[in-house]
Amino acid sequence: AAAFPTAAAVRDFVVACMNHLYTSRPTAVNLGEACTRLKGTVESAAAVPGATAEHVKEAVIADAEAYQREDLASCLAIGENGAKALCDAVASRNGGMCPTQIRVMTICNTGALATAGHGTALGVVRTLHASGKLAKCVALETRPWLQGARLTAFELAHEGMPRTLIADSAAAFLMARGEVDACVVGADRIAQNGDTANKIGTYALAIAAKRHGVPFFVAAPTTTVDLNIASGKEIEIEERGSEELTHVRGTMVAASNVPTWNPVFDVTPSDLIEGIITDRGVGWNNGGGGDMKSLLS
């Protein structure tokens, strides 16, 4: 607080930071929700008669720490709800019997490194492992930034969970070999009808899962649901520069003068999703789609 002479100075700094932070991930609805919440906190604290810079700073820190605790509790609930949902879905395809352990595939990173702890989709995997029900987690490398190879594989190895890393393009073939029991992925934004935006490659994974009869789940906190949009067609998809595709660690690996298209996310239609796992429960696909409004109510 010493760097800020007044409560208003702290307020202006935090608001500017939150506005800038939100521009980094416009597809992610819960990031916007968190930024809006902290802006509300700092504005309310600064509006208190006689508020000092120290008072406003402490209010912001307290709310940020509360948000962290809430997110961890949400992830733990998602883990419990998801572990049961995956086992139930696998059992329904196996004559009502769930194998002692199941093989789960995921993409990108949705673990403790991406959340306040435990994780969303990877939190489901973590809960399965803790209960002795995880045979193996298959992590897709997740091009072009390799979050699966660099982050998810690290978390799996760090905690001693059974694991295999594969190329994104190998996912369908592994399913065809009968070596995947279920898929669970995260989400950056979920529309009212259950259409889901997530890391690029998720849509292709969902199509492969549908073709091979593998239950495909989305795991995300309720803060990821955007009831202001009816379907995935309204979700803004962030695009990034060409160097993520043409270069590796600063070295050009692609042919020169090749145009690129680099969307960061894609949208998976709700009819490909078996269920959406949240901290409040599971929104199951009933009749080809989802109804997030009913789940949240």
Side-chain angles (χ1 to χ4, degrees):
F4 303 98
T6 64
V10 177
R11 177 200 63 206
D12 293 346
F13 174 78
V14 172
V15 168
C17 286
M18 293 301 100
N19 288 338
H20 179 66
L21 179 61
Y22 180 62
T23 65
S24 69
R25 295 295 291 273
T27 307
V29 65
N30 56 337
L31 175 61
E33 188 270 345
C35 291
T36 298
R37 169 171 162 172
L38 286 179
K39 286 196 295 183
T41 296
V42 73
E43 288 168 351
S44 295
V48 173
T52 64
E54 183 69 21
H55 165 80
V56 177
K57 181 196 75 171
E58 293 298 331
V60 172
I61 292 173
D63 195 35
E65 291 177 342
Y67 194 93
Q68 181 184 33
R69 292 190 296 271
E70 293 164 16
D71 187 67
L72 177 57
S74 173
C75 288
L76 291 169
I78 289 170
E80 292 295 331
N81 294 335
K84 183 179 185 305
L86 263 65
C87 288
D88 288 348
V90 173
S92 71
R93 289 163 168 78
N94 192 38
M97 296 291 293
C98 185
T100 303
Q101 295 183 317
I102 61 176
R103 300 159 295 182
V104 182
M105 181 176 284
T106 192
I107 189 171
C108 202
N109 179 255
T110 56
L113 295 175
T115 64
H118 198 67
T120 53
L122 199 60
V124 174
V125 173
R126 192 172 263 114
T127 299
L128 284 167
H129 176 64
S131 60
K133 296 179 180 178
L134 179 69
K136 178 170 63 175
C137 179
V138 179
L140 273 61
E141 57 179 347
T142 319
R143 290 188 178 273
W145 272 103
L146 301 174
Q147 295 98 323
R150 296 191 299 157
L151 303 178
T152 298
F154 170 81
E155 289 198 49
L156 293 169
H158 181 72
E159 297 196 20
M161 289 185 269
R163 60 213 174 264
T164 298
L165 177 68
I166 67 171
D168 297 348
S169 52
F173 187 46
L174 192 63
M175 292 181 195
R177 289 164 58 101
E179 297 183 31
V180 181
D181 297 309
C183 294
V184 61
V185 304
D188 284 80
R189 188 177 294 257
I190 301 173
Q192 186 178 142
N193 72 337
D195 291 351
T196 298
N198 193 49
K199 186 57 59 184
I200 190 72
T202 302
Y203 182 26
L205 186 62
I207 292 172
K210 190 75 168 181
R211 171 66 178 83
H212 296 96
V214 175
F216 183 91
F217 287 90
V218 170
T222 52
T223 51
T224 302
V225 179
D226 186 355
L227 295 180
N228 293 316
I229 58 174
S231 74
K233 294 179 180 179
E234 300 176 54
I235 298 177
E236 177 185 357
I237 298 299
E238 177 188 350
E239 296 184 17
R240 291 185 183 160
S242 62
E243 283 200 4
E244 293 183 2
L245 299 179
T246 60
H247 291 66
V248 174
R249 296 185 180 276
T251 300
M252 189 169 185
V253 295
S256 60
N257 301 318
V258 176
T260 64
W261 180 52
N262 187 24
V264 185
F265 305 97
D266 55 30
V267 176
T268 300
S270 60
D271 63 330
L272 297 178
I273 301 170
E274 181 112 353
I276 296 178
I277 304 159
T278 75
D279 44 312
R280 296 191 189 181
V282 180
W284 293 93
N285 183 332
N286 295 314
D291 181 5
M292 300 311 299
K293 183 178 289 187
S294 295
L295 176 64
L296 297 186
S297 63

